[in-house]
Structures are given as structure tokens and as C-alpha cells.
Amino acid sequence: MRTRPRRRSPCRTRPGTGGDLMAYRFSPQDVRFLESPAGVEALAEAGALALDDRSLIADLTRIRRTAGSFAGAVAETVRLRRRAVQRWCGGDGAPGRAASRGQRACGDGDPPEFARWLFTDEALQQAAPPAVAAHRARRIAGWSASWGAGVHDVTCSIGADLAALAAAVPVAVGSDVDPVRLAMARHNLAAAGRPARLALADARTVTSRGLLRYADPARRDVTGRRILSADTIPSVADLDAADPAHPPVLRLPPGIDYDALARPGEIEIVSLDGAVREAVAWPPALATVARRASVLAGDSVREQLTSDDPDDVPVTAAGDVLVDPDPAVVRAHLVRHYAARHRLSLLDPHLAYLTGSHPPPGIRSFRVLDAAPFAERTIRDWARRDGVGTLEIKQRGTPVIPDDLRRRLRLSGDTRLARTVVIARIGAAAQAFWCQAVPPAE
């Protein structure tokens, strides 16, 4: 009698990773079970369990009573759905727990659509938050409307980006080399009410005509190790070579060295709620500038800057406030453009810290209380004078390691009293600014 292959249980760990959970390897049979009435019932029952590291073995025993050999797939799916809610909405996705104050929520009432999706661990790690995917899809839709064609996501994986594209363009096609992820994509698109045509195909070959190609190549190799260079799988060169006359729109890691990539067109750096999420390489036919920073807040675009914006700004001494621009602005090399727009000046031509009398709306700033050449004794004296027990340390252009400095300072004040020290290399010397953080103002 033929037996089912053994699969990795979610309670096993990877050697040498300090106990991180080993990613479960889903099979086509797993996906079919999870979509079946029995699988839906098992997922609902498992959704009421903690499924944390302490209870996982006991919870798996309970799940096996209804799911049998599919218990691992059920447990991993519930955990991945919770992680998606945690990453994209705030909170931890566990039963009975809501997002804490200050975290984003994905609407009120019913759970978000992706809380019913199927994921693999790697696919979830790489997937863009829905707000970021929707922003990118809206821009693609604007171009699509001008030529009347649709979009082919040639690395569609579980369909996260394809769902956003299908909501924005009249024709959306997806393909991937992994049949399990394609099956998950079919489920996810149906759950989102956005059907799209799907096919098993290699992104390095041309399998559609008249459609704008979009690709989000893998950041990890077959062993699961993160790729740190500009290389991806498939490589950018291979994706471009598939149809040289029509290179694809590429979603790339936000930290990629796009200067070294030397790909013609536009680079857009996108952040969401203060964290950089992706770099999008737009081919020449869709490019309007060399570089763009798109700053998203929730579901809306708070601000956009481009390399064509004015960038004539002075270098001055510190004013009333210090401003650390959104990281998308910094990564896109548009700090001077940001300063010019908001009437700020540079502390140093080579630093991203800006200064002025008033902070721009929507960004955290630091009101300057004291300034002096950097010395640990000076910072310790400031902390003792103000009775500070909590200190945020920000540095740029110096060898200071914030955690090490904080330990050496041995703060003994009231932990409810907080300050921020900004250490920056101004000219040839490090300067320290004793500040009070100011929350973003609308």
C-alpha cells in the first residue's frame, strides 16, 4: 500500500537557529484537504486553539482527531494566517486578542480577506502588505488604461500581488513554477472575489502576449538563505532577457543597490507607516523620473517626491527641531528634495538629518534642548540633570553603538521620563543633540 510522504511538523526546529520553527512543506494533497468541507471545519476548530510554542504538541493531538494526517497543514495554516494579520494589521492574530493602541487595524467587524488565505512560510515573508500591493497595482492600472491591455504576474506565488492587480486591471494572468503555490493562489483569488487565469510556467520564458509583465523574484535560495546581493531567483537579467523589448515591472528588496543594478528606467522606493517595504524597478516605457519615494500611511499616499523636484537647500547649524526623514526618502536619495519642499536645511551635506523651526506634518521629530560635542560624560550629565531613566539613542555617521552606550551610561532616573540623544558627524567631529521626541502632527 502506498503511504503519504512524511512532512515537516510545525513543532520541529531548524538546527542552529535558536529554536525557530521549521517551515512546513505543503503538498497538493494538503491544499485539497484545506479547501474541503472537512478541512474548513478543522481550520475553524484549530482557530480557537493557542497554537503557541508551549501548547503546540497538545494542540496538534487535538487537531489530529478531526484532521488526521493533515493536522500539521491545518496548524501551520492557522499560524500563518495569524502572522499575516499580525504583520499587516497589528495585534498578534490570536483568538480573543485585538490590535493594541497605535497599531493599524484592517477595518472593523469582519476579518480581512487574507485571514482566509492559504500561505507558505516563505511566501508570506516575501508578500507585500495589501496597502503596498494596492498602491503598486493602482500605478500599473494607470498605465494599463493607456494601452488597453492587462497584466501578467509571472511569479505569482500564492497570489498576493495578483489579487491587487486583479482588482485594478481588466485582465490579470498569473503563473508560477510551483504547483502548490498555484493551487493556493487559485484559492486566495477566489476568497478575495478576484478570479484570474493561472498557469504553470517559468518566468524566464514568454507565455503571454500583449500583457505587461510583472515579477517579484525570490529573495531566498533553495536552502532558505536570504540573498544579500542584487541577485534574485530568477535573476533580473534572466527576467529581462525573456522579452528584451518589453522588460517587466520588478518588485525588488528595499535595500537593493539599484545603482549597481544599472537597469534603465525608474526606481521607486515605497514605505508604509515609517518602514521601507519595497523597491520597484519600472522599465523605461513606464518611467517618468529617475527616482521616486512614495510614503504611504495606511491605505493612502501621504507624500511623494521625485528626483525632478527642487533640491537647493542650505547647510546650517541646528535649529529648534531635528528631522529624520522617512526611510523611503533616504533610500531614494531624495533628502535634499524633501528639505527643499519643507523649508528645512541640512546639518551636514553628507547626512540625512535635517533641521528647522517647524517639523513637516506626519513625521516624528526631535525638539533640541541642548547641544555639545559628543562625549559620554556630557550625555550622562544631561541624563542626571533631567532625571531621565529612558533614553533613545540615534546616531548617523559615527561608530557609536547605541546599545553599548546605553549600558555604559547606567541610567538611574525615572523610567517614565524619556529623552532622545541624536549623535551625528558634523564636518570632522561628532556632535550630540539632547532632544525631546515630538510625535507626528497632521
Side-chain angles (χ1 to χ4, degrees):
M1 182 177 70
R2 187 176 181 181
T3 59
R4 289 170 53 83
R6 293 186 63 185
R7 292 163 296 186
R8 291 177 174 177
S9 165
C11 62
R12 292 179 62 191
T13 58
R14 299 185 186 95
T17 60
D20 292 342
L21 290 175
M22 178 178 287
Y24 182 90
R25 290 181 179 175
F26 289 89
S27 70
Q29 295 94 330
D30 288 331
V31 177
R32 285 194 291 270
F33 175 79
L34 294 170
E35 292 183 304
S36 71
V40 172
E41 181 181 355
L43 287 167
E45 292 178 1
L49 302 176
L51 289 171
D52 56 26
D53 292 348
R54 291 174 297 180
S55 70
L56 187 56
I57 294 177
D59 290 340
L60 279 169
T61 300
R62 295 183 60 179
I63 296 171
R64 286 192 187 97
R65 296 170 188 168
T66 55
S69 62
F70 296 103
V74 170
E76 183 76 343
T77 295
V78 172
R79 288 164 65 94
L80 290 172
R81 286 175 172 178
R82 289 176 184 172
R83 196 186 308 166
V85 173
Q86 178 185 18
R87 290 184 61 190
W88 296 338
C89 299
D92 61 8
R97 298 181 189 173
S100 62
R101 185 178 180 182
Q103 290 180 307
R104 290 177 292 114
C106 295
D108 298 322
D110 295 336
E113 64 185 29
F114 55 80
R116 303 187 299 276
W117 284 9
L118 301 179
F119 299 94
T120 70
D121 178 75
E122 183 183 354
L124 176 57
Q125 289 184 53
Q126 182 160 330
V132 175
H135 165 75
R136 185 185 342 98
R138 285 192 295 269
R139 185 170 179 192
I140 288 175
W143 285 104
S144 177
S146 67
W147 72 69
V151 179
H152 181 181
D153 183 346
V154 298
T155 56
C156 74
S157 184
I158 60 157
D161 287 341
L162 188 56
L165 290 168
V169 301
V171 177
V173 175
S175 59
D176 202 280
V177 294
D178 186 337
V180 170
R181 293 193 183 189
L182 273 179
M184 290 182 172
R186 187 171 291 107
H187 169 90
N188 297 342
L189 291 163
R194 299 166 193 166
R197 285 179 283 180
L198 296 170
L200 187 67
D202 192 321
R204 295 169 296 182
T205 62
V206 176
T207 53
S208 63
R209 297 291 182 186
L211 300 178
L212 172 66
R213 289 189 303 139
Y214 164 79
D216 181 11
R219 295 10 167 201
R220 295 179 183 271
D221 62 22
V222 293
T223 69
R225 292 186 178 89
R226 183 173 291 277
I227 300 168
L228 300 178
S229 70
D231 294 328
T232 56
I233 302 174
S235 69
V236 171
D238 285 345
L239 290 167
D240 285 346
D243 187 357
H246 305 95
V249 176
L250 293 177
R251 177 177 182 251
L252 299 169
I256 194 167
D257 185 348
Y258 50 81
D259 291 328
L261 188 63
R263 187 177 191 256
E266 174 186 327
I267 290 291
E268 178 184 14
I269 307 295
V270 182
S271 69
L272 174 64
D273 297 335
V276 176
R277 299 293 184 169
E278 65 184 25
V280 182
W282 298 91
L286 277 64
T288 57
V289 293
R291 300 184 313 283
R292 181 188 305 269
S294 295
V295 180
L296 310 186
D299 294 328
S300 62
V301 179
R302 178 180 291 279
E303 186 170 25
Q304 279 194 331
L305 290 121
T306 77
S307 50
D308 285 356
D309 292 339
D311 66 347
D312 187 14
V313 293
V315 178
T316 69
D320 295 334
V321 296
L322 299 183
V323 174
D324 191 2
D326 185 275
V329 174
V330 178
R331 282 289 305 130
H333 299 166
L334 297 175
V335 172
R336 299 181 67 93
H337 309 71
Y338 181 87
R341 174 177 294 183
H342 295 289
R343 299 182 180 180
L344 301 170
S345 58
L346 298 170
L347 282 175
D348 182 276
H350 306 293
L351 285 182
Y353 284 127
L354 304 174
T355 188
S357 56
H358 300 286
I363 192 164
R364 186 169 177 251
S365 61
F366 306 92
R367 186 161 301 282
V368 179
L369 306 176
D370 263 310
F374 169 66
E376 289 188 19
R377 179 176 178 178
T378 300
I379 297 173
R380 188 178 293 110
D381 289 344
W382 285 338
R384 288 174 179 170
R385 180 196 66 192
D386 293 354
V388 170
T390 300
L391 182 63
E392 176 187 28
I393 302 173
K394 298 174 69 69
Q395 77 84 27
R396 189 163 284 159
T398 78
V400 173
I401 300 174
D403 287 343
D404 291 349
L405 174 57
R406 189 179 293 104
R407 281 193 293 269
R408 291 195 299 272
L409 291 173
R410 297 180 180 179
L411 301 175
S412 58
D414 189 340
T415 56
R416 294 171 297 179
L417 294 177
R419 291 289 185 268
T420 298
V421 61
V422 176
I423 305 168
R425 180 166 295 279
I426 310 298
Q431 189 83 359
F433 301 92
W434 188 248
C435 305
Q436 182 168 7
V438 180
E442 297 300 324

